Amino acid sequence: MIQPRPRTIPEATVGRLAVYLRVLTGLADGGRTTVSSGELASAAGVNPAGLRKDLSHLGSCGVRGVGYEVTALRERIARVLGAERSRACVLVGIGNLGTALADYAGFGSRGFRFVGLFDAAPSQVGQEIGGLTVQHMSELEATVAEHEATIGVIATPAEVAQSVCDRLAAAGIRSILNFAPVTLTAPVGVDVRPVDLSVELQVLAFLGQQRTARAAEVTA
Amino acid sequence: MIQPRPRTIPEATVGRLAVYLRVLTGLADGGRTTVSSGELASAAGVNPAGLRKDLSHLGSCGVRGVGYEVTALRERIARVLGAERSRACVLVGIGNLGTALADYAGFGSRGFRFVGLFDAAPSQVGQEIGGLTVQHMSELEATVAEHEATIGVIATPAEVAQSVCDRLAAAGIRSILNFAPVTLTAPVGVDVRPVDLSVELQVLAFLGQQRTARAAEVTA
DNA sequence: AGCCGCTTGTGAACGCAGGAACAAAGTCGC
DNA sequence: GCGACTTTGTTCCTGCGTTCACAAGCGGCT
């Protein structure tokens, strides 16, 4: 059995494919039928050559001299990323951030659907967000099993994030997106992707400070 | 004039330094005085050798045979990252996400302070969040100038993000953290760091799917 | 005082991502 | 029908990040 294409796609490429998918959706809504690599790269903020290399990972899909067909490319990327089928997710921690995430329409159009929202505080339980009712943490395991959810999102305070992570992993969750500002440890077979807003802000500030320092140096 | 140390620190290292800073703060609160590279690396989820290389960018600070002094290392990292002095930030878009960001205490302890919260909807203007009153967009430029803010955060819907970006850049903002799911273009001298939650989720899902596919293949 | 174990800091090798340049291929104009 | 132009797909190369491995240095013990 031959392998149709090298099924290992670099992580950096995957992130950009998701961006291309978003741009292509916008182009399709605008009525565009074809797009060149240069134009698409400009809209996505990347190098044209790099974009073509990214796209080459999923086989030739463009037409030389013309460009890429918008809808065909979009569907192909969606298939590779697995965005065509809906994936069940659960969200733990219904604070401001959790509410924002539960309400965010962008997830639904990308193949993700929340099947459970959980919080430990009784004051939060029962309220309705984005068509779902917030449940108490005690129902976490049952809901995960019922919908066979494989993705979990942690938007809790840092203190309880590790215990939530443990419970999610034990309940069968395989992928965790962590917004809590702590480094989580999960059993093998479960991967955690941290999204730390403070870190992002600090990196941004440092790069800016470094840039201005260099500029001042050149002037001197 | 000699340069005390190579002042170009890799971006990836800066991101990890911010994580070390967080871990060190936790250790200091716990009463620890010294810590070894192995322990710190484990707590931060990175390789010990990589951690030492990261730390070497800011000059030798550890004691061989013992480890690093927690508070000294913390202050040195904070100084390099510029977290010791307070930086003025403005936040545009007071939806659920914007509210979460404005309320997040983690920013303040890292040297960031919001000096202005802005929204275009009159219904949002006037409410108080985290000690600040939400202002109308029309006051954006005046507030930025008054506080000499250099960092801006965009948490608006995608449709208006580019125009907000333009206004921030024109007002004197040099660094922008963008949560809107669009690729922004900014003039030279202004750098934009995108934080796309859908992209993060899609990358996570893809990696999980790839992992399970490979596992199934091995079994076969 | 001298030795031993522990830990840091650095040098080297490896693998990977990014960028530029080029060949292949298809379309449009004549 | 043929040539020129446009655009893709690929290949090479350069630079960066990460990892491994080892020498150097410091504290503690005898």
CSV table of all heavy atoms in Angstrom, one decimal, chain C residues 1-4 6 16 18-19 22 27 29-30, chain D residues 1-2 4 9 12-13 15 25 27-30:
chain,number,residue,atom,x,y,z
C,1,DA,P,44.2,25.3,54.4
C,1,DA,OP1,44.9,26.4,53.6
C,1,DA,OP2,42.7,25.5,54.6
C,1,DA,O5',44.5,23.9,53.7
C,1,DA,C5',45.6,23.2,54.2
C,1,DA,C4',45.4,21.8,53.7
C,1,DA,O4',44.3,21.1,54.3
C,1,DA,C3',45.1,21.7,52.2
C,1,DA,O3',45.7,20.6,51.6
C,1,DA,C2',43.6,21.6,52.1
C,1,DA,C1',43.3,20.8,53.4
C,1,DA,N9,42.0,21.1,54.0
C,1,DA,C8,41.5,22.3,54.4
C,1,DA,N7,40.4,22.3,55.0
C,1,DA,C5,40.0,20.9,54.9
C,1,DA,C6,38.9,20.2,55.4
C,1,DA,N6,37.8,20.8,55.9
C,1,DA,N1,38.8,18.9,55.2
C,1,DA,C2,39.9,18.3,54.6
C,1,DA,N3,41.0,18.9,54.1
C,1,DA,C4,41.0,20.2,54.3
C,2,DG,P,46.0,20.6,50.0
C,2,DG,OP1,47.4,20.4,49.7
C,2,DG,OP2,45.3,21.8,49.4
C,2,DG,O5',45.2,19.4,49.5
C,2,DG,C5',45.3,18.1,50.3
C,2,DG,C4',44.2,17.2,50.0
C,2,DG,O4',43.0,17.7,50.7
C,2,DG,C3',43.8,17.2,48.5
C,2,DG,O3',43.5,15.8,48.1
C,2,DG,C2',42.5,18.0,48.5
C,2,DG,C1',41.9,17.7,49.8
C,2,DG,N9,41.0,18.8,50.3
C,2,DG,C8,41.2,20.1,50.3
C,2,DG,N7,40.2,20.8,50.8
C,2,DG,C5,39.3,19.8,51.2
C,2,DG,C6,38.0,20.0,51.8
C,2,DG,O6,37.5,21.0,52.2
C,2,DG,N1,37.4,18.7,52.0
C,2,DG,C2,38.0,17.5,51.7
C,2,DG,N2,37.3,16.4,52.0
C,2,DG,N3,39.2,17.4,51.1
C,2,DG,C4,39.8,18.6,50.9
C,3,DC,P,43.5,15.4,46.5
C,3,DC,OP1,44.6,14.5,46.3
C,3,DC,OP2,43.3,16.7,45.7
C,3,DC,O5',42.1,14.6,46.5
C,3,DC,C5',41.8,13.7,47.6
C,3,DC,C4',40.3,13.5,47.6
C,3,DC,O4',39.7,14.7,48.2
C,3,DC,C3',39.7,13.3,46.3
C,3,DC,O3',38.8,12.2,46.4
C,3,DC,C2',38.9,14.6,46.0
C,3,DC,C1',38.5,15.0,47.4
C,3,DC,N1,38.3,16.5,47.6
C,3,DC,C2,37.2,17.0,48.2
C,3,DC,O2,36.4,16.2,48.7
C,3,DC,N3,37.0,18.3,48.4
C,3,DC,C4,37.9,19.2,47.9
C,3,DC,N4,37.7,20.5,48.1
C,3,DC,C5,39.1,18.7,47.2
C,3,DC,C6,39.3,17.4,47.1
C,4,DC,P,38.3,11.5,45.0
C,4,DC,OP1,38.6,10.1,45.0
C,4,DC,OP2,38.6,12.3,43.8
C,4,DC,O5',36.7,11.6,45.2
C,4,DC,C5',36.1,11.6,46.5
C,4,DC,C4',34.7,12.0,46.5
C,4,DC,O4',34.6,13.4,46.7
C,4,DC,C3',34.0,11.8,45.2
C,4,DC,O3',32.7,11.3,45.4
C,4,DC,C2',34.0,13.1,44.5
C,4,DC,C1',33.9,14.1,45.6
C,4,DC,N1,34.5,15.4,45.4
C,4,DC,C2,33.9,16.5,45.9
C,4,DC,O2,32.9,16.5,46.5
C,4,DC,N3,34.5,17.7,45.6
C,4,DC,C4,35.7,17.8,45.0
C,4,DC,N4,36.2,19.0,44.8
C,4,DC,C5,36.3,16.7,44.5
C,4,DC,C6,35.7,15.5,44.7
C,6,DC,P,25.6,13.2,43.2
C,6,DC,OP1,24.6,12.4,44.0
C,6,DC,OP2,26.2,12.8,41.9
C,6,DC,O5',25.1,14.7,43.1
C,6,DC,C5',25.2,15.6,44.2
C,6,DC,C4',25.2,17.0,43.6
C,6,DC,O4',26.6,17.4,43.2
C,6,DC,C3',24.3,17.3,42.4
C,6,DC,O3',23.4,18.3,42.6
C,6,DC,C2',25.3,17.6,41.3
C,6,DC,C1',26.5,18.1,42.0
C,6,DC,N1,27.8,18.0,41.3
C,6,DC,C2,28.6,19.1,41.0
C,6,DC,O2,28.2,20.2,41.4
C,6,DC,N3,29.8,18.9,40.4
C,6,DC,C4,30.2,17.7,40.0
C,6,DC,N4,31.3,17.6,39.4
C,6,DC,C5,29.4,16.5,40.3
C,6,DC,C6,28.2,16.7,40.9
C,16,DC,P,13.3,17.0,11.4
C,16,DC,OP1,12.1,16.4,11.9
C,16,DC,OP2,13.9,16.7,10.1
C,16,DC,O5',13.1,18.6,11.4
C,16,DC,C5',13.0,19.3,12.7
C,16,DC,C4',12.7,20.8,12.4
C,16,DC,O4',13.9,21.5,12.1
C,16,DC,C3',11.7,21.0,11.3
C,16,DC,O3',10.8,22.0,11.6
C,16,DC,C2',12.6,21.5,10.1
C,16,DC,C1',13.7,22.2,10.9
C,16,DC,N1,15.0,22.3,10.2
C,16,DC,C2,15.7,23.5,10.1
C,16,DC,O2,15.2,24.5,10.6
C,16,DC,N3,16.9,23.5,9.5
C,16,DC,C4,17.4,22.4,9.0
C,16,DC,N4,18.6,22.5,8.3
C,16,DC,C5,16.7,21.2,9.1
C,16,DC,C6,15.5,21.1,9.7
C,18,DG,P,8.3,28.7,9.1
C,18,DG,OP1,7.6,29.7,10.0
C,18,DG,OP2,7.6,27.8,8.2
C,18,DG,O5',9.3,29.6,8.2
C,18,DG,C5',10.4,30.3,8.9
C,18,DG,C4',11.2,31.1,7.9
C,18,DG,O4',12.2,30.2,7.3
C,18,DG,C3',10.4,31.7,6.7
C,18,DG,O3',10.9,33.0,6.5
C,18,DG,C2',10.6,30.7,5.6
C,18,DG,C1',12.0,30.2,5.9
C,18,DG,N9,12.2,28.8,5.4
C,18,DG,C8,11.4,27.7,5.6
C,18,DG,N7,11.8,26.6,5.0
C,18,DG,C5,13.1,27.0,4.5
C,18,DG,C6,14.0,26.2,3.8
C,18,DG,O6,14.0,25.0,3.6
C,18,DG,N1,15.1,27.0,3.5
C,18,DG,C2,15.3,28.3,3.8
C,18,DG,N2,16.4,28.9,3.3
C,18,DG,N3,14.4,29.0,4.4
C,18,DG,C4,13.3,28.3,4.7
C,19,DG,P,10.2,33.9,5.3
C,19,DG,OP1,10.1,35.3,5.8
C,19,DG,OP2,9.0,33.2,4.8
C,19,DG,O5',11.3,33.8,4.2
C,19,DG,C5',12.6,34.1,4.5
C,19,DG,C4',13.5,34.1,3.2
C,19,DG,O4',13.9,32.7,2.9
C,19,DG,C3',12.8,34.7,2.0
C,19,DG,O3',13.7,35.5,1.3
C,19,DG,C2',12.4,33.4,1.2
C,19,DG,C1',13.5,32.4,1.6
C,19,DG,N9,13.0,31.0,1.6
C,19,DG,C8,11.8,30.6,2.0
C,19,DG,N7,11.7,29.3,1.9
C,19,DG,C5,12.8,28.9,1.2
C,19,DG,C6,13.3,27.6,0.8
C,19,DG,O6,12.7,26.5,0.9
C,19,DG,N1,14.5,27.6,0.2
C,19,DG,C2,15.3,28.7,0.1
C,19,DG,N2,16.5,28.6,-0.5
C,19,DG,N3,14.9,30.0,0.5
C,19,DG,C4,13.7,30.0,1.0
C,22,DC,P,18.0,31.6,-11.0
C,22,DC,OP1,19.4,31.6,-11.4
C,22,DC,OP2,17.1,32.8,-11.3
C,22,DC,O5',17.3,30.3,-11.4
C,22,DC,C5',17.7,29.0,-10.9
C,22,DC,C4',16.7,27.9,-11.2
C,22,DC,O4',15.6,28.0,-10.4
C,22,DC,C3',16.2,28.0,-12.7
C,22,DC,O3',16.3,26.7,-13.2
C,22,DC,C2',14.8,28.5,-12.5
C,22,DC,C1',14.4,27.9,-11.2
C,22,DC,N1,13.3,28.6,-10.5
C,22,DC,C2,12.2,27.8,-10.1
C,22,DC,O2,12.2,26.6,-10.2
C,22,DC,N3,11.2,28.4,-9.5
C,22,DC,C4,11.2,29.8,-9.3
C,22,DC,N4,10.2,30.3,-8.7
C,22,DC,C5,12.3,30.5,-9.8
C,22,DC,C6,13.3,29.9,-10.4
C,27,DT,P,-5.3,25.5,-19.4
C,27,DT,OP1,-6.6,25.2,-18.7
C,27,DT,OP2,-4.8,24.9,-20.6
C,27,DT,O5',-5.2,27.1,-19.6
C,27,DT,C5',-5.1,28.0,-18.4
C,27,DT,C4',-4.8,29.4,-18.9
C,27,DT,O4',-3.4,29.4,-19.4
C,27,DT,C3',-5.7,29.9,-20.0
C,27,DT,O3',-6.0,31.2,-19.8
C,27,DT,C2',-4.8,29.8,-21.3
C,27,DT,C1',-3.4,30.1,-20.7
C,27,DT,N1,-2.3,29.5,-21.4
C,27,DT,C2,-1.2,30.3,-21.8
C,27,DT,O2,-1.2,31.4,-21.6
C,27,DT,N3,-0.2,29.6,-22.5
C,27,DT,C4,-0.2,28.3,-22.9
C,27,DT,O4,0.7,27.8,-23.5
C,27,DT,C5,-1.3,27.5,-22.4
C,27,DT,C7,-1.4,26.0,-22.8
C,27,DT,C6,-2.3,28.1,-21.7
C,29,DG,P,-6.4,37.6,-24.0
C,29,DG,OP1,-6.7,38.9,-23.3
C,29,DG,OP2,-7.5,36.8,-24.5
C,29,DG,O5',-5.4,37.9,-25.2
C,29,DG,C5',-4.1,38.4,-24.8
C,29,DG,C4',-3.2,38.4,-26.1
C,29,DG,O4',-2.8,37.0,-26.3
C,29,DG,C3',-3.8,38.9,-27.3
C,29,DG,O3',-2.9,39.8,-28.0
C,29,DG,C2',-4.1,37.7,-28.2
C,29,DG,C1',-3.0,36.7,-27.7
C,29,DG,N9,-3.4,35.3,-27.8
C,29,DG,C8,-4.6,34.7,-27.3
C,29,DG,N7,-4.6,33.4,-27.5
C,29,DG,C5,-3.4,33.1,-28.2
C,29,DG,C6,-3.0,31.9,-28.7
C,29,DG,O6,-3.5,30.8,-28.6
C,29,DG,N1,-1.7,32.1,-29.3
C,29,DG,C2,-1.1,33.3,-29.4
C,29,DG,N2,0.1,33.2,-30.1
C,29,DG,N3,-1.5,34.4,-29.0
C,29,DG,C4,-2.7,34.3,-28.4
C,30,DC,P,-3.3,40.6,-29.2
C,30,DC,OP1,-2.7,41.9,-29.1
C,30,DC,OP2,-4.8,40.5,-29.4
C,30,DC,O5',-2.6,39.8,-30.5
C,30,DC,C5',-1.2,39.5,-30.4
C,30,DC,C4',-0.8,38.6,-31.5
C,30,DC,O4',-1.3,37.3,-31.3
C,30,DC,C3',-1.4,39.0,-32.9
C,30,DC,O3',-0.4,39.0,-33.9
C,30,DC,C2',-2.5,38.0,-33.2
C,30,DC,C1',-1.9,36.8,-32.5
C,30,DC,N1,-2.9,35.8,-32.1
C,30,DC,C2,-2.7,34.4,-32.4
C,30,DC,O2,-1.7,34.1,-32.9
C,30,DC,N3,-3.6,33.5,-32.0
C,30,DC,C4,-4.7,33.9,-31.4
C,30,DC,N4,-5.6,32.9,-31.0
C,30,DC,C5,-5.0,35.2,-31.1
C,30,DC,C6,-4.0,36.1,-31.4
D,1,DG,P,-4.1,23.4,-34.8
D,1,DG,OP1,-4.1,22.2,-35.7
D,1,DG,OP2,-4.5,23.3,-33.4
D,1,DG,O5',-2.7,24.1,-34.9
D,1,DG,C5',-2.0,24.1,-36.2
D,1,DG,C4',-0.9,25.1,-36.1
D,1,DG,O4',-1.4,26.4,-35.7
D,1,DG,C3',0.1,24.7,-34.9
D,1,DG,O3',1.4,25.2,-35.3
D,1,DG,C2',-0.4,25.5,-33.8
D,1,DG,C1',-1.0,26.8,-34.4
D,1,DG,N9,-2.1,27.3,-33.7
D,1,DG,C8,-3.2,26.7,-33.3
D,1,DG,N7,-4.1,27.5,-32.7
D,1,DG,C5,-3.5,28.7,-32.8
D,1,DG,C6,-4.0,30.0,-32.3
D,1,DG,O6,-5.0,30.3,-31.7
D,1,DG,N1,-3.1,31.0,-32.6
D,1,DG,C2,-1.9,30.8,-33.3
D,1,DG,N2,-1.2,31.9,-33.5
D,1,DG,N3,-1.4,29.7,-33.7
D,1,DG,C4,-2.3,28.7,-33.4
D,2,DC,P,2.6,24.6,-34.6
D,2,DC,OP1,3.6,24.0,-35.7
D,2,DC,OP2,2.2,23.7,-33.5
D,2,DC,O5',3.3,25.9,-34.1
D,2,DC,C5',3.4,27.1,-34.9
D,2,DC,C4',3.7,28.3,-34.0
D,2,DC,O4',2.4,28.8,-33.4
D,2,DC,C3',4.6,28.0,-32.8
D,2,DC,O3',5.6,29.0,-32.8
D,2,DC,C2',3.7,28.0,-31.6
D,2,DC,C1',2.6,29.0,-32.0
D,2,DC,N1,1.3,28.8,-31.4
D,2,DC,C2,0.7,30.0,-30.9
D,2,DC,O2,1.2,31.1,-31.0
D,2,DC,N3,-0.5,29.8,-30.2
D,2,DC,C4,-1.1,28.6,-30.1
D,2,DC,N4,-2.2,28.5,-29.5
D,2,DC,C5,-0.4,27.4,-30.6
D,2,DC,C6,0.8,27.6,-31.2
D,4,DA,P,8.7,34.3,-28.3
D,4,DA,OP1,9.5,35.3,-29.1
D,4,DA,OP2,9.3,33.1,-27.8
D,4,DA,O5',8.0,35.1,-27.2
D,4,DA,C5',6.9,36.1,-27.5
D,4,DA,C4',6.0,36.3,-26.3
D,4,DA,O4',5.1,35.1,-26.1
D,4,DA,C3',6.8,36.4,-25.0
D,4,DA,O3',6.2,37.5,-24.2
D,4,DA,C2',6.5,35.1,-24.3
D,4,DA,C1',5.1,34.7,-24.8
D,4,DA,N9,4.9,33.3,-24.8
D,4,DA,C8,5.7,32.3,-25.2
D,4,DA,N7,5.2,31.1,-25.1
D,4,DA,C5,3.9,31.3,-24.5
D,4,DA,C6,2.9,30.4,-24.1
D,4,DA,N6,3.0,29.1,-24.2
D,4,DA,N1,1.8,31.0,-23.6
D,4,DA,C2,1.7,32.3,-23.4
D,4,DA,N3,2.6,33.2,-23.8
D,4,DA,C4,3.7,32.7,-24.3
D,9,DG,P,0.5,23.8,-7.2
D,9,DG,OP1,-0.5,22.8,-7.6
D,9,DG,OP2,0.4,24.6,-6.0
D,9,DG,O5',2.0,23.1,-7.2
D,9,DG,C5',2.3,22.2,-8.2
D,9,DG,C4',3.8,21.9,-8.2
D,9,DG,O4',4.5,23.1,-8.5
D,9,DG,C3',4.3,21.4,-6.8
D,9,DG,O3',5.1,20.2,-7.1
D,9,DG,C2',5.1,22.5,-6.3
D,9,DG,C1',5.6,23.2,-7.6
D,9,DG,N9,6.0,24.6,-7.4
D,9,DG,C8,5.3,25.6,-6.8
D,9,DG,N7,5.8,26.8,-6.8
D,9,DG,C5,7.0,26.5,-7.5
D,9,DG,C6,8.0,27.4,-7.9
D,9,DG,O6,8.1,28.6,-7.7
D,9,DG,N1,9.1,26.8,-8.6
D,9,DG,C2,9.1,25.5,-8.9
D,9,DG,N2,10.1,25.0,-9.6
D,9,DG,N3,8.1,24.6,-8.6
D,9,DG,C4,7.1,25.2,-7.9
D,12,DC,P,18.3,19.7,-4.9
D,12,DC,OP1,19.2,18.9,-5.8
D,12,DC,OP2,17.7,19.0,-3.7
D,12,DC,O5',19.1,20.9,-4.4
D,12,DC,C5',19.5,22.0,-5.4
D,12,DC,C4',19.7,23.3,-4.6
D,12,DC,O4',18.5,23.8,-4.1
D,12,DC,C3',20.7,23.2,-3.4
D,12,DC,O3',21.8,24.1,-3.6
D,12,DC,C2',19.9,23.5,-2.2
D,12,DC,C1',18.7,24.3,-2.8
D,12,DC,N1,17.5,24.3,-2.0
D,12,DC,C2,16.8,25.4,-1.6
D,12,DC,O2,17.3,26.5,-1.9
D,12,DC,N3,15.7,25.3,-0.9
D,12,DC,C4,15.1,24.1,-0.6
D,12,DC,N4,14.0,24.1,0.0
D,12,DC,C5,15.8,22.9,-1.0
D,12,DC,C6,16.9,23.0,-1.7
D,13,DC,P,23.1,23.9,-2.7
D,13,DC,OP1,24.3,24.1,-3.5
D,13,DC,OP2,23.0,22.7,-1.9
D,13,DC,O5',22.9,25.2,-1.7
D,13,DC,C5',22.4,26.4,-2.3
D,13,DC,C4',21.9,27.3,-1.1
D,13,DC,O4',20.6,26.9,-0.7
D,13,DC,C3',22.8,27.2,0.1
D,13,DC,O3',23.1,28.5,0.5
D,13,DC,C2',22.0,26.5,1.1
D,13,DC,C1',20.6,26.9,0.7
D,13,DC,N1,19.5,26.0,1.2
D,13,DC,C2,18.4,26.6,1.8
D,13,DC,O2,18.3,27.8,1.9
D,13,DC,N3,17.4,25.8,2.2
D,13,DC,C4,17.5,24.5,2.0
D,13,DC,N4,16.5,23.7,2.4
D,13,DC,C5,18.6,23.9,1.4
D,13,DC,C6,19.6,24.7,1.0
D,15,DG,P,23.6,32.9,6.4
D,15,DG,OP1,24.1,34.2,6.2
D,15,DG,OP2,24.6,31.8,6.7
D,15,DG,O5',22.6,32.9,7.6
D,15,DG,C5',21.3,33.4,7.4
D,15,DG,C4',20.3,32.8,8.5
D,15,DG,O4',20.1,31.4,8.1
D,15,DG,C3',20.9,32.8,9.9
D,15,DG,O3',20.0,33.6,10.7
D,15,DG,C2',21.0,31.3,10.3
D,15,DG,C1',20.0,30.7,9.3
D,15,DG,N9,20.4,29.3,9.0
D,15,DG,C8,21.5,28.8,8.5
D,15,DG,N7,21.6,27.5,8.3
D,15,DG,C5,20.3,27.1,8.7
D,15,DG,C6,19.8,25.8,8.8
D,15,DG,O6,20.3,24.8,8.4
D,15,DG,N1,18.5,25.8,9.3
D,15,DG,C2,17.8,27.0,9.7
D,15,DG,N2,16.6,26.8,10.2
D,15,DG,N3,18.3,28.2,9.7
D,15,DG,C4,19.6,28.2,9.2
D,25,DG,P,37.0,27.4,35.9
D,25,DG,OP1,37.2,28.8,35.5
D,25,DG,OP2,38.1,26.5,36.2
D,25,DG,O5',35.9,27.4,37.0
D,25,DG,C5',34.6,28.0,36.8
D,25,DG,C4',33.7,27.6,37.9
D,25,DG,O4',33.3,26.2,37.9
D,25,DG,C3',34.2,27.9,39.4
D,25,DG,O3',33.2,28.4,40.2
D,25,DG,C2',34.6,26.4,39.8
D,25,DG,C1',33.5,25.7,39.1
D,25,DG,N9,33.7,24.2,39.0
D,25,DG,C8,34.8,23.7,38.4
D,25,DG,N7,34.8,22.4,38.4
D,25,DG,C5,33.5,22.1,38.9
D,25,DG,C6,32.9,20.8,39.1
D,25,DG,O6,33.4,19.7,38.9
D,25,DG,N1,31.7,20.9,39.7
D,25,DG,C2,31.1,22.1,40.1
D,25,DG,N2,29.9,22.1,40.6
D,25,DG,N3,31.7,23.3,39.9
D,25,DG,C4,32.9,23.2,39.3
D,27,DG,P,30.7,28.2,47.2
D,27,DG,OP1,29.8,29.4,47.6
D,27,DG,OP2,32.1,28.3,47.4
D,27,DG,O5',30.1,26.9,47.8
D,27,DG,C5',28.7,26.6,47.5
D,27,DG,C4',28.4,25.2,48.1
D,27,DG,O4',29.2,24.2,47.4
D,27,DG,C3',28.6,25.0,49.5
D,27,DG,O3',27.6,24.2,50.1
D,27,DG,C2',30.0,24.2,49.6
D,27,DG,C1',29.9,23.4,48.3
D,27,DG,N9,31.2,23.2,47.7
D,27,DG,C8,32.2,24.1,47.4
D,27,DG,N7,33.3,23.6,46.9
D,27,DG,C5,33.0,22.2,46.8
D,27,DG,C6,33.8,21.2,46.4
D,27,DG,O6,34.9,21.2,45.9
D,27,DG,N1,33.2,19.9,46.5
D,27,DG,C2,31.9,19.8,47.0
D,27,DG,N2,31.4,18.5,47.0
D,27,DG,N3,31.1,20.8,47.5
D,27,DG,C4,31.8,22.0,47.3
D,28,DG,P,27.5,24.1,51.7
D,28,DG,OP1,26.1,24.2,52.1
D,28,DG,OP2,28.6,24.9,52.3
D,28,DG,O5',27.9,22.6,51.9
D,28,DG,C5',27.2,21.6,51.2
D,28,DG,C4',27.9,20.2,51.4
D,28,DG,O4',29.1,20.2,50.7
D,28,DG,C3',28.2,19.8,52.9
D,28,DG,O3',27.9,18.5,53.1
D,28,DG,C2',29.7,20.1,53.0
D,28,DG,C1',30.2,19.7,51.6
D,28,DG,N9,31.4,20.4,51.2
D,28,DG,C8,31.7,21.8,51.3
D,28,DG,N7,32.8,22.1,50.9
D,28,DG,C5,33.4,20.9,50.4
D,28,DG,C6,34.6,20.7,49.8
D,28,DG,O6,35.5,21.5,49.6
D,28,DG,N1,34.8,19.3,49.5
D,28,DG,C2,33.8,18.3,49.7
D,28,DG,N2,34.1,17.1,49.4
D,28,DG,N3,32.6,18.6,50.3
D,28,DG,C4,32.5,19.9,50.6
D,29,DC,P,27.8,17.9,54.6
D,29,DC,OP1,26.4,17.4,54.7
D,29,DC,OP2,28.3,18.9,55.5
D,29,DC,O5',28.7,16.7,54.6
D,29,DC,C5',28.9,15.9,53.3
D,29,DC,C4',30.2,15.2,53.4
D,29,DC,O4',31.3,16.0,52.9
D,29,DC,C3',30.6,14.7,54.8
D,29,DC,O3',31.0,13.3,54.8
D,29,DC,C2',31.8,15.6,55.2
D,29,DC,C1',32.4,15.9,53.8
D,29,DC,N1,33.1,17.2,53.8
D,29,DC,C2,34.4,17.3,53.1
D,29,DC,O2,34.9,16.3,52.7
D,29,DC,N3,35.0,18.5,53.1
D,29,DC,C4,34.4,19.6,53.6
D,29,DC,N4,35.1,20.7,53.5
D,29,DC,C5,33.1,19.5,54.2
D,29,DC,C6,32.5,18.3,54.3
D,30,DT,P,31.2,12.6,56.2
D,30,DT,OP1,30.4,11.3,56.1
D,30,DT,OP2,30.9,13.5,57.3
D,30,DT,O5',32.7,12.2,56.1
D,30,DT,C5',33.3,11.7,54.9
D,30,DT,C4',34.8,11.9,54.9
D,30,DT,O4',35.2,13.3,54.8
D,30,DT,C3',35.4,11.4,56.3
D,30,DT,O3',36.5,10.6,56.0
D,30,DT,C2',35.9,12.7,56.9
D,30,DT,C1',36.2,13.6,55.7
D,30,DT,N1,36.1,15.1,56.0
D,30,DT,C2,37.1,15.9,55.7
D,30,DT,O2,38.1,15.5,55.1
D,30,DT,N3,36.9,17.2,56.0
D,30,DT,C4,35.8,17.8,56.6
D,30,DT,O4,35.8,19.0,56.9
D,30,DT,C5,34.8,16.8,57.0
D,30,DT,C7,33.6,17.3,57.7
D,30,DT,C6,35.0,15.5,56.7
